[in-house]
């Protein structure tokens, strides 16, 4: 089912959380609402499922206007961050609850519960209580409960935040598998860019109640529209160099070091402030465009090693290299930047 | 907390000394019901069940049987609990979770009433009950007692509802349940410990209540154990403390049993800071 | 109003109805009653007009002319149809007809005059006794008859041939009305009660002493049991918690037994040659000691539990750290534990001040204000005045006025508490908006 949010505005008391936001989510698509806490992503989710009312704007499911329709009648399944399983019911009763509310026959309920339990792999847990389940199992139960009445839309509110690292990896692919298997339109709310990038077809990156970029994960990583987007995606994060335009080149602030501007961008006027973003994978010893500095931090991550290199003006570039490169803390190095992979941002933070 | 850095025996000593009067009173409360003591002596010297005769003997003319009175007390305490808990559970939920006009006003009102000198209203309640004909009936006392404990009950239940995760309710709505169904089937089971604690608390409070029945339903047919016992004490020119104590123990026994069983729930209400 | 509001109000309505019925209306009525002279004598449902010996005395006291009062009190004899019918039934048609034809409408101021007139009739009854009885049939009086309205009374009085000036009429109906009337005298009356200031003083003394005893003892118990191993701490806590849940009648009974002249203390001290006496009601000071002990111990129970749970919530590591730092137990209490208890102590003080101010159950059951009013407090005075006194005339109006003072204090105190206890934090916005 296609979802379209048109000119959505939401305020609590005097504070406006979201202003005039529009978003279109295609049928069968999985979209991530990504952003730092307080950016309005959960508010958007609550508006889609009807727990919050919209102050202005329109919400369409397919061709139906559901702006004024109550939660109960929207046919939306939600998985909450803490799963919100009903503690006094066992797994079977939890999953069956949406059907019981609709007064479906016992046999029908039983058939559907078994079917969905099979899909999310919890067939053997049906008699347990939520308290007796691990985080991942609770997650599966929550998914099963959200999916059992064949909702048009599945909403996931930080579904992996409460899991430990290993389970998070497992459930990431599980949720995606189930979403693809059911072909349901899904919206994932998360603050973790890895989750958003690995699970979703498209990402809507939000900041301060606005969607700052809406794109596929790969495109958003490679072509961020602003330094905010660039800084939000990528782990280890991108490093920024501040400077000004000098003779058609980029001059590092408080320094005589100049770097050529990547080809094909419009250079702002002489003396205008400018910002370079360099991802760690594009700052390597082998690259030609050398920048001298001193290794100020070394972190061993097992397969890779992460270095911080402090330039002469105090700015820091980050580099990620395969193990055993053998650089030591305090060592003077001169590594190179891959010129065409440099992201250049103008004074307002927007990509040039 | 025990700590090897500090000695315990001075604490034992001083606590034992100041607890002595209470312990003596408790011990004699029980011992005196089954013994006789020679006047002037402190040590009981004969075993007897004579003091418990009120349980099986026909009551004197003008007095009501202890069993009728006990039944009254039980009805009084049970009905008070039922009314109080039902009203507290609904109002507590409304104040904790629902959209409500003038919510601040209601909450402030409840808090004010909670701290309010309820007993000061007894004169006008007495007159009201006389006017509407509920004077000297159990119904009247039940309603009044349930009402007097209501602000506390609402406050306690609000506290319990506040601790139920919002997501449970949201999930219920998404699953297609109405707000009422959500409350009844999903939220209420979460606050069961609260309901139990409040019920025990109100039941005990009603079971022990003295002033209200004394003022609002003093006559024989609606008498409860507290007024029965206090009438017994006030009537007698020559007090028979052993008999008073037997009636007292008979009256206190349910309280002590309930205390032993529901100790944890009671502490929840008395100690949990739920009163503010 | 939105649908969502209706749901909330629906859930609130049972409680609202009960609170309205048994809190708000009583508060309003307390105010109302305090401006009436309601008492057992006036009744509560309204009154009637009746001239009798007592009301005539009241009338004279209120300044009515002596002759007027005398006339009202006198009986008169009127030959009217009702009397004639009665006479016919008792002494035959003939007599009745004769009376009717000759004397109808005549009025006699004494029975002797009427008897004299009867004696002149031919068909009169023969015996003197019968004549007397027959004369009594014509006796007409407004004495000892209840009239529901002032008009009924005035009509009856005029029918009996008593003329009244409008002033007299007003004085009469006002003075002899037996029901309650509006008045603002209660507050002046209250101020005139000779012992009212002593009662007010007693009340302050009672609140202060009991509060000090319960907070002090509660703190002491909470801290000492905290330092004991949990099994013995539980026993001590049980001993001190029991007073809170024991029905107050029983708790006071135990103390009465302790203090009675054949009770524990007397028997114990008899061994040392002290004559037996009622230790509780012996002297005013003794009575106060018992009042403070009884109420203080009940208050300490609650204090012990509240303070105890507050102490329990202090992180263990903080206490261990202070011990490593070399704090003695006393220093640990002063610098670590007590500062954590500031809030619960404040709460207990605020809450208990109000509840002590108005609670009188334990005093009523133990000393009943005695000996000689030494332990009478304000709420007990209101209770005694309105609901329970030896004189038997319960003055509801005056009692309500006394209670009203407490209601006012209560409302003021609650408003102050709402400010102190940061009310705004308690009002949460609902997160589901439908």
């Amino acid at each position: 089912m296609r979802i379209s949010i048109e000119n959505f505005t939401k305020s609590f008391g005097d504070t406006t959380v979201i202003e005039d936001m529009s978003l279109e989510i295609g049928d069968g698509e999985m979209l991530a609402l990504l952003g730092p806490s307080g950016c309005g992503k959960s508010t958007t989710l609550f508006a889609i499922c009807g727990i919050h009312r919209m102050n202005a704007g329109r919400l369409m499911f397919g061709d139906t206007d559901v702006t004024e329709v109550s939660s109960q009648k929207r046919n939306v399944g939600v998985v909450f961050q803490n799963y919100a399983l009903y503690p006094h019911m066992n797994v079977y009763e939890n999953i069956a609850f949406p059907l019981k509310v609709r007064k479906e026959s016992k046999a029908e309920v039983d058939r559907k519960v078994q079917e969905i339990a099979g899909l999310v792999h919890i067939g053997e847990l049906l008699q347990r209580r939520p308290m007796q389940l691990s985080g991942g199992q609770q997650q599966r139960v929550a998914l099963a409960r959200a999916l059992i009445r064949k909702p048009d839309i599945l909403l996931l509110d930080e579904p992996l935040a409460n899991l430990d690292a290993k389970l998070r990896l497992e459930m990431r692919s599980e949720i995606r598998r189930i979403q693809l298997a059911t072909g349901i339109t899904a919206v994932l709310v998360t603050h973790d860019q890895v989750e958003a990038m690995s699970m979703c077809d498209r990402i809507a990156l939000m900041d301060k109640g606005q969607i700052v970029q809406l794109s596929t994960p790969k495109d958003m990583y490679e072509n961020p529209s602003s330094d905010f987007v660039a800084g939000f995606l990528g782990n280890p994060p991108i490093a920024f160099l501040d400077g000004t335009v000098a003779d058609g080149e980029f001059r590092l602030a408080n320094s005589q070091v100049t770097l050529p501007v990547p080809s094909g961008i419009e250079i702002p006027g002489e003396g205008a402030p400018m910002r370079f973003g360099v991802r760690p994978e594009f700052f390597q010893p082998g690259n030609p465009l050398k920048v001298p500095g001193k290794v100020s931090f070394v972190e061993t991550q097992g397969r890779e090693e992460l270095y911080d290199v402090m330039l002469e003006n105090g700015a820091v570039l980050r580099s990620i290299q395969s193990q055993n490169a053998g650089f030591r803390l305090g060592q003077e190095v001169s590594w190179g930047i891959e010129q065409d992979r440099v992201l250049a941002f103008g004074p307002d933070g927007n990509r040039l | 907390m025990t700590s090897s850095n500090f000695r315990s025996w001075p604490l034992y000593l001083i606590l034992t000394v100041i607890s002595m009067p209470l312990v003596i009173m408790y011990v004699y409360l029980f011992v005196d019901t089954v013994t006789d003591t020679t006047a002037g002596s402190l040590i009981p010297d004969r075993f007897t069940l004579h003091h418990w005769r009120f349980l099986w003997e026909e009551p004197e003319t003008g007095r009501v049987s202890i069993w009728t009175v006990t039944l009254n007390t039980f009805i009084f305490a049970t009905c008070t609990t039922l009314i109080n808990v039902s009203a507290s559970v609904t109002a507590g939920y409304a104040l904790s979770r629902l959209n409500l006009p003038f919510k601040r006003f209601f909450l402030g009102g409840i808090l004010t009433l909670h701290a309010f000198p309820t007993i000061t209203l007894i004169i006008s309640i007495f007159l009201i009950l006389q006017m509407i004909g509920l004077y000297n009936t159990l119904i009247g006392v039940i309603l009044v007692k349930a009402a007097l404990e209501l602000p506390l009950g609402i406050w306690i239940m609000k506290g319990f509802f506040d601790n139920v995760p919002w997501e449970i309710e949201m999930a219920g709505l998404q699953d297609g349940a109405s707000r009422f169904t959500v409350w009844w089937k999903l939220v209420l089971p979460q606050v069961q410990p609260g309901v139990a604690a409040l019920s025990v608390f109100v039941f005990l409070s009603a079971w022990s209540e003295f002033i209200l029945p004394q003022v609002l339903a003093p006559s024989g047919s609606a008498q409860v154990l507290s007024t029965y016992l206090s009438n017994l004490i006030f009537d007698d020119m020559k007090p028979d403390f052993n008999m008073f104590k037997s009636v007292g123990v008979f009256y206190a026994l349910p309280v002590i049993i309930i205390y032993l069983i529901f100790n944890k729930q009671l502490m929840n209400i008395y100690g949990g800071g739920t009163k503010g | 109003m939105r649908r969502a509001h209706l749901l909330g109000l629906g859930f609130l309505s049972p409680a609202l109805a009960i609170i309205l019925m048994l809190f708000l209306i009583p508060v309003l009525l307390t105010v109302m009653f305090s401006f009436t002279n309601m008492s057992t004598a006036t009744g509560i449902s309204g009154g009637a007009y009746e001239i009798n010996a007592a009301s005539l005395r009241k009338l004279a006291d209120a300044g009515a002319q002596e002759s007027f009062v005398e006339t009202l009190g006198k009986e008169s004899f009127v030959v009217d149809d009702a009397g004639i019918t009665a006479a016919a039934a008792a002494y035959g048609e003939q007599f009745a007809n004769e009376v009717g034809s000759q004397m109808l409408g005549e009025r006699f101021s004494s029975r002797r005059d009427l008897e004299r007139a009867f004696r002149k009739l031919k068909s009169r009854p023969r015996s003197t006794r019968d004549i007397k009885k027959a004369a009594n049939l014509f006796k007409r009086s407004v004495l000892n008859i209840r009239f529901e309205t002032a008009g009924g009374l005035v009509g009856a009085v005029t029918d009996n041939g008593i003329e009244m000036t409008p002033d007299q009429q007003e004085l009469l109906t006002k003075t002899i009305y037996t029901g309650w009337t509006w008045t603002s005298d209660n507050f002046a009356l209250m101020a005139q009660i000779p012992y009212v200031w002593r009662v007010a003083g007693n009340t302050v003394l009672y609140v202060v002493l009991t509060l000090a005893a319960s907070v002090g003892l509660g703190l002491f118990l909470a801290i000492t049991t905290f330092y004991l191993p949990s099994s013995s701490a539980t026993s001590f806590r049980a001993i001190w918690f029991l007073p809170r849940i024991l029905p107050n009648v029983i708790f006071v009974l135990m103390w009465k037994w302790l203090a009675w002249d054949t009770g524990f203390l007397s028997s114990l001290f008899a061994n040392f040659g002290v004559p037996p006496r009622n230790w509780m009601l012996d002297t005013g000071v003794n009575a106060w000691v018992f009042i403070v002990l009884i109420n203080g111990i009940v208050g300490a129970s609650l204090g012990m539990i509240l303070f105890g749970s507050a102490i329990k919530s202090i992180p263990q590591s903080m206490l261990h750290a202070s011990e490593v730092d070399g704090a003695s137990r006393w220093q640990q209490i002063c610098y670590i534990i007590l500062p954590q208890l500031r809030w619960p102590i404040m709460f207990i003080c605020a809450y208990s001040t109000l509840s002590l101010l108005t609670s009188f159950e334990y005093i009523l059951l133990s000393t009943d204000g005695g000996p000689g009013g030494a332990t009478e407090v304000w709420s007990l005075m209101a209770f005694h005045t309105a609901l329970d006194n030896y004189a038997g005339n319960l003055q509801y109006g005056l009692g309500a006025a006394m209670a009203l003072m407490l209601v006012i204090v209560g409302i003021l105190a609650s408003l102050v508490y709402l400010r102190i206890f940061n009310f705004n934090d308690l009002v949460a916005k609902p997160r589901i908006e439908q």
Side-chain angles (χ1 to χ4, degrees):
Chain A
M1 175 94 42
R2 188 170 50 82
I3 308 171
S4 50
I5 303 169
E6 299 165 11
N7 308 105
F8 164 43
T9 298
K10 174 73 199 173
S11 49
F12 296 103
D14 294 333
T15 36
T16 302
V17 182
I18 292 191
E19 204 162 1
D20 199 26
M21 173 181 137
S22 295
L23 177 65
E24 188 103 0
I25 302 162
D27 190 17
E29 182 183 28
M30 181 147 176
L31 178 115
L33 285 174
L34 176 67
S37 56
C39 71
K41 54 190 192 300
S42 289
T43 309
T44 310
L45 182 111
F46 282 143
I48 296 176
C49 65
I51 282 171
H52 285 172
R53 319 211 122 234
M54 296 163 73
N55 292 96
R58 201 158 71 126
L59 177 66
M60 308 278 291
F61 287 176
D63 296 323
T64 338
D65 184 343
V66 294
T67 317
E68 294 298 324
V69 175
S70 71
S71 287
Q72 291 95 329
K73 298 199 179 107
R74 287 193 188 186
N75 201 23
V76 171
V78 183
V79 175
F80 292 91
Q81 177 171 351
N82 57 7
Y83 320 129
L85 298 181
Y86 310 133
H88 58 294
M89 300 180 182
N90 65 22
V91 170
Y92 183 96
E93 291 162 334
N94 259 286
I95 300 176
F97 184 76
L99 303 181
K100 283 238 178 81
V101 170
R102 294 170 165 190
K103 305 202 164 49
E104 292 195 13
S105 76
K106 248 190 146 118
E108 186 74 350
V109 169
D110 199 52
R111 190 182 61 73
K112 288 184 178 172
V113 171
Q114 297 298 346
E115 185 190 20
I116 198 88
L119 177 72
V120 300
H121 304 324
I122 49 165
E124 72 284 11
L125 303 173
L126 289 177
Q127 295 313 312
R128 301 247 194 114
R129 296 246 164 192
M131 296 286 279
Q132 302 166 309
L133 301 181
S134 72
Q137 289 168 330
Q138 291 189 28
Q139 170 78 269
R140 288 170 190 269
V141 176
L143 263 172
R145 190 181 65 188
L147 291 172
I148 189 149
R149 65 206 163 100
K150 305 250 179 294
D152 298 323
I153 290 154
L154 177 66
L155 303 180
L156 304 144
D157 183 15
E158 303 270 10
L160 305 172
N162 283 9
L163 296 178
D164 57 49
K166 201 169 153 241
L167 264 175
R168 204 175 295 179
L169 220 69
E170 175 192 328
M171 285 314 294
R172 225 152 70 183
S173 47
E174 269 301 283
I175 290 176
R176 181 61 165 166
R177 174 183 71 76
I178 293 163
Q179 189 260 332
L180 289 174
T182 49
I184 192 171
T185 310
V187 177
L188 169 79
V189 160
T190 179
H191 64 272
D192 182 349
Q193 41 109 8
V194 182
E195 261 172 56
M197 291 175 70
S198 59
M199 291 167 74
C200 296
D201 299 311
R202 281 195 305 161
I203 297 175
L205 186 65
M206 293 183 70
D207 185 34
K208 301 191 181 101
Q210 305 271 337
I211 294 180
V212 288
Q213 191 171 358
L214 175 63
S215 188
T216 63
K218 188 171 153 58
D219 181 57
M220 192 176 279
Y221 184 76
E222 290 174 354
N223 291 308
S225 65
S226 69
D227 56 351
F228 172 78
V229 179
F232 206 86
L233 295 192
N235 185 28
I238 195 167
F240 288 112
L241 299 175
D242 287 309
T244 48
V245 179
D247 299 332
E249 291 208 308
F250 172 80
R251 176 184 292 159
L252 209 54
N254 307 322
S255 159
Q256 292 309 310
V257 178
T258 57
L259 295 169
V261 175
S263 50
I265 66 164
E266 196 180 317
I267 302 172
E270 183 73 10
M274 199 174 172
R275 203 164 200 216
F276 266 22
V278 182
R279 293 213 183 269
E281 58 269 36
F282 303 129
F283 180 53
Q284 299 288 341
N287 291 345
L289 195 59
K290 298 289 186 205
V291 185
K294 196 200 267 177
V295 176
S296 63
F297 177 74
V298 180
E299 184 183 296
T300 307
Q301 289 191 334
R303 195 173 62 248
E304 287 149 339
E305 276 179 348
L306 180 65
Y307 298 102
D308 280 6
V309 175
M310 195 184 282
L311 309 187
E312 61 172 62
N313 71 338
V316 172
L317 279 178
R318 219 165 269 131
S319 171
I320 189 156
Q321 300 172 20
S322 58
Q323 218 189 346
N324 296 327
F327 296 103
R328 293 181 319 279
L329 197 64
Q331 192 175 354
E332 301 277 350
V333 293
S334 186
W335 293 343
I337 297 171
E338 199 166 323
Q339 188 188 342
D340 285 342
R341 294 304 198 130
V342 167
L343 304 168
F345 304 96
D348 52 358
N350 285 339
R351 180 89 180 277
L352 294 170
Chain B
M1 187 197 76
T2 50
S3 163
S4 51
N5 293 332
F6 304 129
R7 284 164 306 166
S8 287
W9 70 262
L11 293 180
Y12 277 115
L13 186 70
I14 194 160
L15 268 177
T16 310
V17 169
I18 65 160
S19 304
M20 224 45 216
L22 278 180
V23 173
I24 288 174
M25 286 194 280
Y26 296 149
V27 168
Y28 275 93
L29 177 65
F30 286 93
V31 170
D32 278 357
T33 63
V34 287
T35 57
D36 272 328
T37 310
T38 312
S41 164
L42 287 176
I43 314 297
D45 44 18
R46 291 180 301 278
F47 173 83
T48 173
L49 286 176
H50 182 66
H51 309 306
W52 287 92
R53 65 190 180 279
F54 63 90
L55 287 183
W56 53 82
E57 274 182 8
E58 281 290 309
E60 293 166 43
T61 42
R63 284 210 195 285
V64 192
S65 150
I66 183 102
W67 296 109
T68 317
V69 177
T70 309
L71 183 67
N72 279 348
T73 317
F74 185 76
I75 294 172
F76 169 53
T78 312
C79 294
T80 302
T81 309
L82 281 178
I83 294 176
N84 179 287
V85 172
S86 344
S88 301
V89 159
T90 47
Y93 182 66
L95 288 173
S96 168
R97 285 300 164 87
L98 297 178
N99 279 300
L100 209 58
F102 316 118
K103 195 174 199 172
R104 285 181 58 86
F105 172 77
F106 284 132
L107 265 176
I110 298 280
L111 268 180
T112 312
L113 290 181
H114 173 28
F116 197 74
T118 43
I119 209 74
T120 51
L121 301 177
I122 198 166
I123 295 169
S124 59
I125 289 176
F126 168 80
L127 295 176
I128 292 172
L129 289 193
Q130 290 221 324
M131 285 169 182
I132 60 177
L134 286 180
Y135 178 69
N136 235 337
T137 63
L138 266 184
I139 303 173
V141 211
I142 287 170
L143 280 177
V144 174
K145 180 66 182 170
L148 292 192
E149 299 287 351
L150 197 54
L152 175 66
I154 294 177
W155 198 245
I156 287 172
M157 284 323 299
K158 178 190 174 294
F160 277 97
F161 281 120
D162 282 345
N163 288 333
V164 176
W166 271 101
E167 282 79 5
I168 294 238
E169 278 183 75
M170 294 177 178
L173 293 186
Q174 292 308 320
D175 288 345
S178 68
R179 289 255 17 207
F180 185 82
T181 313
V182 166
W183 174 71
W184 182 249
K185 289 216 167 139
L186 302 182
V187 180
L188 218 45
Q190 314 303 316
V191 297
Q192 246 174 18
V195 174
L198 180 63
S199 304
V200 173
F201 178 83
V202 177
F203 186 90
L204 279 188
S205 170
W207 184 268
S208 309
E209 179 61 45
F210 166 67
I211 286 278
L212 293 181
Q214 172 75 7
V215 173
L216 304 178
S219 89
S221 60
Q223 222 173 29
V224 292
L225 280 166
S226 61
T227 48
Y228 176 89
L229 178 56
S230 88
N231 286 349
L232 216 57
I233 299 171
F234 275 105
D235 278 1
D236 264 321
M237 293 321 284
K238 241 179 85 59
D240 178 357
F241 271 104
N242 294 48
M243 200 257 276
F244 298 164
K245 283 180 172 178
S246 306
V247 177
V249 168
F250 176 78
Y251 175 27
L253 225 46
V255 175
I256 293 168
I257 292 170
I258 289 174
Y259 166 64
L260 291 178
I261 299 175
F262 296 102
N263 186 17
K264 237 171 78 185
Q265 281 90 339
L266 277 174
M267 290 305 153
N268 217 341
I269 292 211
Y270 282 110
T274 40
K275 285 196 164 184
Chain C
M1 186 157 309
R2 302 217 324 255
R3 227 191 101 244
H5 284 168
L6 290 180
L7 183 74
L9 285 178
F11 265 86
L12 202 58
S13 55
L16 271 185
I18 295 178
I19 285 176
L20 189 77
M21 242 169 56
L22 292 158
F23 274 104
L24 298 185
I25 294 180
V27 169
L28 292 180
L29 287 183
T30 303
V31 178
M32 204 188 98
F33 292 145
S34 65
F35 286 96
T36 68
N37 64 353
M38 268 189 206
S39 68
T40 330
T42 67
I44 55 169
S45 50
Y49 299 87
E50 182 177 336
I51 300 178
N52 53 31
S55 65
L56 283 176
R57 218 174 305 125
K58 247 167 80 184
L59 195 61
D61 289 345
Q65 288 124 315
E66 212 172 300
S67 59
F68 176 53
V69 178
E70 205 173 303
T71 338
L72 279 174
K74 259 193 188 151
E75 301 165 337
S76 65
F77 294 80
V78 183
V79 180
D80 55 11
D81 288 335
I84 290 168
T85 319
Y91 302 105
E93 289 289 334
Q94 210 182 352
F95 173 61
N97 286 342
E98 202 176 358
V99 173
S101 59
Q102 297 197 10
M103 299 162 64
L104 187 65
E106 278 185 53
R107 181 180 301 276
F108 302 85
S109 57
S110 75
R111 194 175 64 206
R112 196 165 303 153
D113 292 346
L114 181 59
E115 282 170 23
R116 205 169 293 137
F118 278 165
R119 289 221 171 78
K120 292 180 188 144
L121 299 175
K122 281 195 200 119
S123 53
R124 63 174 195 266
R126 287 303 125 191
S127 78
T128 318
R129 244 184 67 217
D130 283 346
I131 289 181
K132 257 184 200 173
K133 274 189 184 166
N136 268 341
L137 294 175
F138 295 88
K139 186 167 87 178
R140 295 294 171 266
S141 161
V142 287
L143 279 185
N144 302 320
I145 303 170
R146 279 175 70 92
F147 297 96
E148 292 305 321
T149 62
L153 171 76
V154 172
V157 172
T158 4
D159 279 355
N160 273 13
I162 303 168
E163 300 297 329
M164 288 185 290
T165 63
D167 281 350
Q168 284 175 326
Q169 190 176 320
E170 200 193 313
L171 186 68
L172 175 70
T173 50
K174 208 179 136 193
T175 350
I176 68 163
Y177 182 58
T178 59
W180 56 270
T181 51
W182 298 103
T183 170
S184 57
D185 292 348
N186 286 327
F187 301 94
L189 268 173
M190 197 161 38
Q192 282 163 15
I193 297 174
Y195 50 85
V196 75
W197 293 111
R198 202 178 84 182
V199 171
N202 279 350
T203 312
V204 174
L205 191 67
Y206 163 67
V207 171
V208 170
L209 288 181
T210 309
L211 195 59
S214 40
V215 171
L217 191 55
L219 267 178
F220 175 79
L221 290 170
I223 292 173
T224 45
T225 52
F226 173 69
Y227 279 114
L228 291 182
S230 72
S231 57
S232 34
T234 311
S235 328
F236 279 118
R237 283 200 200 110
I239 292 174
W240 286 93
F241 182 63
L242 216 49
R244 180 94 205 160
I245 54 162
L246 269 187
N248 40 29
V249 184
I250 299 172
F251 189 58
V252 172
L253 170 69
M254 301 192 320
W255 287 90
K256 278 194 156 170
W257 164 80
L258 196 76
W260 209 259
D261 49 14
T262 57
F264 183 83
L265 285 181
S266 294
S267 303
L268 184 69
F269 290 142
N271 297 332
F272 307 101
V274 181
R277 53 177 132 155
N278 186 329
W279 290 88
M280 192 189 287
L281 294 172
D282 193 22
T283 63
V285 175
N286 277 10
W288 272 105
V289 169
F290 275 93
I291 292 291
V292 171
L293 275 179
I294 293 174
N295 284 287
I297 287 177
V298 172
S301 291
L302 180 65
M304 174 184 73
I305 301 298
L306 264 176
F307 300 148
S309 59
I311 296 178
K312 232 193 253 161
S313 65
I314 300 175
Q316 286 276 321
S317 52
M318 214 155 126
L319 297 166
H320 290 150
S322 70
E323 280 170 40
V324 174
D325 290 344
S328 68
R329 181 181 276 164
W330 182 243
Q331 286 168 325
Q332 197 174 55
I333 291 169
C334 287
Y335 300 121
I336 312 283
I337 294 181
L338 282 182
Q340 298 280 333
L341 293 181
R342 224 177 40 208
W343 195 244
I345 292 175
M346 238 173 91
F347 172 74
I348 286 263
C349 288
Y351 181 80
S352 304
T353 311
L354 213 48
S355 67
L356 282 174
L357 202 58
T358 56
S359 74
F360 54 88
E361 285 182 289
Y362 287 102
I363 305 186
L364 174 71
L365 285 165
S366 53
T367 66
D368 197 15
T375 53
E376 181 100 342
V377 293
W378 196 276
S379 48
L380 188 59
M381 175 174 74
F383 175 79
H384 278 151
T385 307
L387 297 173
D388 178 30
N389 67 29
Y390 297 112
N393 185 21
L394 305 176
Q395 294 168 284
Y396 307 131
L398 183 57
M402 292 170 172
L404 184 64
M405 298 289 125
L406 291 178
V407 172
I408 292 170
V409 172
I411 289 178
L412 289 181
S414 308
L415 290 179
V416 173
Y417 295 166
L418 282 184
R419 296 221 79 155
I420 300 177
F421 292 103
N422 220 351
F423 176 60
N424 277 337
D425 293 354
L426 302 169
V427 190
K429 271 199 84 68
R431 286 177 55 196
I432 295 179
E433 302 179 340
Q434 55 161 282

